[in-house]
Amino acid sequence: AQSVSQHNHHVILSEAASLELGCNYSYGGTVNLFWYVQYPGQHLQLLLKYFSGDPLVKGIKGFEAEFIKSKFSFNLRKPSVQWSDTAEYFCAVNRGSQGNLIFGKGTKLSVKP
Amino acid sequence: DTGVSQNPRHKITKRGQNVTFRCDPISEHNRLYWYRQTLGQGPEFLTYFQNEAQLEKSRLLSDRFSAERPKGSFSTLEIQRTEQGDSAMYLCASSLWQGGETQYFGPGTRLLVL
């Protein structure tokens, strides 16, 4: 069965530190990849997505992610985090016409001011 | 706000009672999804509709769960004979399927079964 692994459960950073959140998936076929973010008290919002083309995708608020097919990975990065980035981040994957998303367990990011 | 809306936002019920949740998708979106999220987990897929047709159901969706999307617009998710293990956040998402899609999520309905 497909699965998505997010390696870090809770990450604590100081402002201006660089961020990288890991995401690996288990499916070997064509996949679509997503990062969603959930700010405290808010609903899930799309941060960025990859369908095809350039494996380096840029999203909102300075986030980017790189799809590495050989490693089945889609890691999220941001060069300099802000306190307002404190949130929970979810990696998700679906494949082809099967729309249902498979989510990782999420990584909680706490940014200290 | 023209996003996905869900009602109620919170529901407390006693074990054995039936509950029904409603989701209103973004207008013109043809796909509607239901997910369930428990503490410390990511959302888990339950079922989805394309227009009014229910195309897939997860094995998580026991026979106590039923979902409808009668006119291809809003959807309802009913849980019969609720159990404490049904306590979770129930999320709805919608998308415009055109050979690819991006799902937009609603705020969720938090269910607590006592």
Side-chain angles (χ1 to χ4, degrees):
Chain A
Q2 282 188 87
S3 65
V4 175
S5 299
Q6 292 185 242
H7 314 299
N8 309 101
H9 178 63
H10 191 185
V11 173
I12 302 172
L13 295 172
S14 297
E15 273 194 317
S18 64
L19 170 73
E20 182 161 3
L21 301 182
C23 173
N24 286 88
Y25 61 94
S26 65
Y27 182 64
T30 301
V31 294
N32 303 311
L33 297 153
F34 304 82
W35 276 96
Y36 282 86
V37 60
Q38 189 165 28
Y39 298 103
Q42 297 187 26
H43 58 277
L44 280 166
Q45 300 172 38
L46 181 70
L47 203 52
L48 48 77
K49 62 187 177 185
Y50 173 80
F51 288 167
S52 64
D54 188 343
L56 184 63
V57 293
K58 295 190 184 298
I60 60 172
K61 303 187 180 184
F63 285 90
E64 65 179 30
E66 185 176 12
F67 170 51
I68 302 179
K69 189 174 181 179
S70 61
K71 295 185 178 180
F72 300 91
S73 70
F74 190 55
N75 291 355
L76 181 70
R77 300 195 293 248
K78 185 171 184 178
S80 175
V81 295
Q82 300 173 315
W83 177 79
S84 58
D85 293 325
T86 294
E88 191 156 18
Y89 293 80
F90 293 93
C91 181
V93 60
N94 67 8
R95 50 186 172 118
S97 61
Q98 287 191 301
N100 54 295
L101 290 168
I102 296 172
F103 283 85
K105 291 187 176 183
T107 297
K108 186 176 178 181
L109 172 64
S110 299
V111 180
K112 298 184 292 184
Chain B
D1 190 329
T2 57
V4 178
S5 62
Q6 293 187 244
N7 287 289
R9 296 291 304 277
H10 303 273
K11 180 70 177 178
I12 300 174
T13 191
K14 294 182 179 178
R15 190 175 49 189
Q17 298 294 304
N18 299 344
V19 294
T20 300
F21 311 140
R22 177 178 169 126
C23 171
D24 287 88
I26 295 170
S27 61
E28 91 262 6
H29 277 191
N30 53 5
R31 282 193 173 182
L32 187 150
Y33 295 82
W34 285 99
Y35 293 85
R36 182 174 70 185
Q37 186 176 19
T38 54
L39 205 61
Q41 302 293 320
E44 296 174 292
F45 168 74
L46 293 178
T47 188
Y48 86 96
F49 295 83
Q50 182 153 320
N51 301 311
E52 64 274 12
Q54 189 172 16
L55 294 189
E56 188 173 349
K57 293 192 284 188
S58 160
R59 59 180 173 77
L60 292 176
L61 211 69
S62 76
D63 56 7
R64 295 185 298 105
F65 288 70
S66 62
E68 294 182 341
R69 193 182 184 200
K71 296 183 180 178
S73 56
F74 73 92
S75 175
T76 57
L77 178 68
E78 181 183 17
I79 309 175
Q80 296 183 325
R81 305 181 303 281
T82 52
E83 301 173 356
Q84 288 184 325
D86 297 330
S87 295
M89 176 75 88
Y90 289 85
L91 298 170
C92 176
S94 72
S95 72
L96 178 61
W97 171 256
Q98 292 179 314
E101 63 176 346
T102 298
Q103 294 178 34
Y104 296 90
F105 283 80
T109 295
R110 186 171 295 281
L111 172 67
L112 178 61
V113 182
L114 301 175

